[in-house]
Amino acid sequence: MTAGHTMTPTIRTLSLAEIGTLVDWAAGEGWNPGRHDAAAFHAADPDGFLGAFVGDEMVAGIAAVAYGEDFGFIGLYICRPDLRGKGYGKAVWNAGMAHLSGRTVGLDGVPAQQANYRSMGFVDDYQTFRFSGRFAGAASSDPVRPMSVDLFQSVAAFDRMHFPAPRAAFLKRWIAPPHLALVCMDGDTVRGYGVARACREGFKVGPLFANDIDVAITLCASLADACGGDIHIDVPGGQEEFSTLLEAAGLSRGFETARMYRAPAPAIRIGGVYGVTSLELG
C-alpha cells in the first residue's frame, strides 16, 4: 500500500497473533509493553481488540476491552506512523467505542491527548506518574508468599475492590508464570498483592494493591528483589507518601498520564491502589 492513497478500511476483530503485532507497535511508540502481554490481554476480552485493515494490511488498532456488565477500557490506540492523517485511527476508535456502548469507559491519557479526550466526554479522575529505576529499599517484616491456585478466589475478590469490574479470565493469565505474583496474607485474609512482568526494558510492577503503605512497600521491595533489574510502576498521584518512599529507594519520577472516564467514575478503593495494572487495559 502506498502512503499517499486513502482507502476505506475494513474493521474486524484481531487474532492473538495480530494483537502481538499491535503490542509490537506499542513498543515502537516507546511504551515498553510486557514481553508476554498479548496472551493475557486477549484473555481479558477476545472480542475487544480491533484493527482497521486495507487489503491484508493492518493500518490501525485499538484495545476496547469489556469488563463485567458495565465497564470498559480503551488502550493500545495506534495508527501506523506512515499512514496517519487518513482517518484510519478515527475509524478504529469509533469501532472500539461502539464495542463498549452503554458502559462506563476508562482510559489513561497522555498530556498531549487529554484535551482531545475531554472534547469527547472523558473527565479526569486522577493523575498517574511512572517511577523507574533500581529499587534499593528494604521490605518490612510483613510475610509475603508466591501466588498459588488455592488463593485465586480470595485474590480475585481483593482485586475487585480496587478495580472497577470483575476480571477473572484476565487475572488467571496475568498472575501466572512467566509473570511473578506475590501475596501478603494475614491468616486467610489477603492484605495485598502485586505482579511483576518482564518488559522490553526492565520490569513493570502492576497491579500493586494493598491495605496499607507497609504492605505496599514490602510487596514492591520483594518483587523488585526477585526481578533483579530496573522496575517501572505507575502510581496514582494521591499516593504521595508511597511516591516519596519510591524516590528514597532510588526510583525517579517520569512519564505522566491522567486516568479519565466517560460516564461516572467507578467506585473503587483508590486509596489501596499503589500501582495500576497497566496503561493499556486499566
Side-chain angles (χ1 to χ4, degrees):
M1 183 199 335
T2 60
H5 186 58
T6 300
M7 299 177 65
T8 301
T10 299
I11 307 295
R12 65 168 174 80
T13 305
L14 299 181
S15 68
L16 177 56
E18 289 164 341
I19 295 171
T21 297
L22 185 58
V23 172
D24 286 341
W25 286 6
E29 296 291 321
W31 299 353
N32 192 28
R35 294 186 179 277
H36 307 281
D37 279 357
F41 286 179
H42 181 259
D45 178 6
D47 296 324
F49 295 83
L50 304 173
F53 289 79
V54 174
D56 294 330
E57 293 187 53
M58 184 163 70
V59 297
I62 196 168
V65 173
Y67 291 106
E69 297 298 321
D70 53 16
F71 182 64
F73 202 86
I74 291 285
L76 290 173
Y77 176 38
I78 307 172
C79 183
R80 222 172 75 184
D82 60 319
L83 295 170
R84 291 174 181 170
K86 298 178 179 298
Y88 298 146
K90 180 64 173 175
V92 82
W93 169 273
N94 290 341
M97 291 302 292
H99 179 64
L100 300 178
S101 177
R103 296 170 178 265
T104 293
V105 179
L107 57 78
D108 287 308
V110 297
Q113 292 297 325
Q114 288 167 15
N116 184 38
Y117 293 136
R118 291 184 193 111
S119 73
M120 293 185 284
F122 286 84
V123 177
D124 298 53
D125 190 35
Y126 59 86
Q127 288 181 297
T128 300
F129 298 98
R130 176 163 296 173
F131 289 83
S132 302
R134 184 67 64 97
F135 187 96
S140 74
S141 58
D142 291 298
V144 171
R145 57 177 288 188
M147 181 69 68
S148 56
V149 174
D150 61 299
L151 293 176
F152 179 77
Q153 294 301 328
S154 296
V155 168
F158 187 82
D159 183 85
R160 177 64 185 89
M161 292 188 287
H162 301 86
F163 189 79
R167 50 177 181 171
F170 168 77
L171 281 181
K172 285 177 181 177
R173 295 301 296 262
W174 199 250
I175 65 176
H179 294 180
L180 172 66
L182 298 177
V183 188
C184 184
M185 303 290 295
D186 181 6
D188 294 331
T189 302
V190 177
R191 298 183 62 204
Y193 91 99
V195 179
R197 74 194 201 276
C199 294
R200 309 298 170 98
E201 297 179 4
F203 299 80
K204 283 184 181 175
V205 172
L208 182 61
F209 298 158
N211 283 346
D212 58 59
I213 194 169
D214 289 337
V215 172
I217 207 71
T218 292
L219 285 165
C220 191
S222 299
L223 288 165
D225 183 63
C227 291
D230 285 357
I231 65 167
H232 311 274
I233 179 170
D234 295 303
V235 180
Q239 297 289 12
E240 295 180 3
E241 183 181 0
F242 183 66
S243 297
T244 298
L245 290 174
L246 292 179
E247 290 181 319
L251 274 63
S252 300
R253 193 175 92 169
F255 189 69
E256 173 186 345
T257 58
R259 174 61 58 89
M260 309 176 79
Y261 294 107
R262 196 173 79 165
I268 63 170
R269 187 188 288 177
I270 187 62
V273 178
Y274 291 88
V276 303
T277 306
S278 81
L279 301 184
E280 295 84 11
L281 262 67

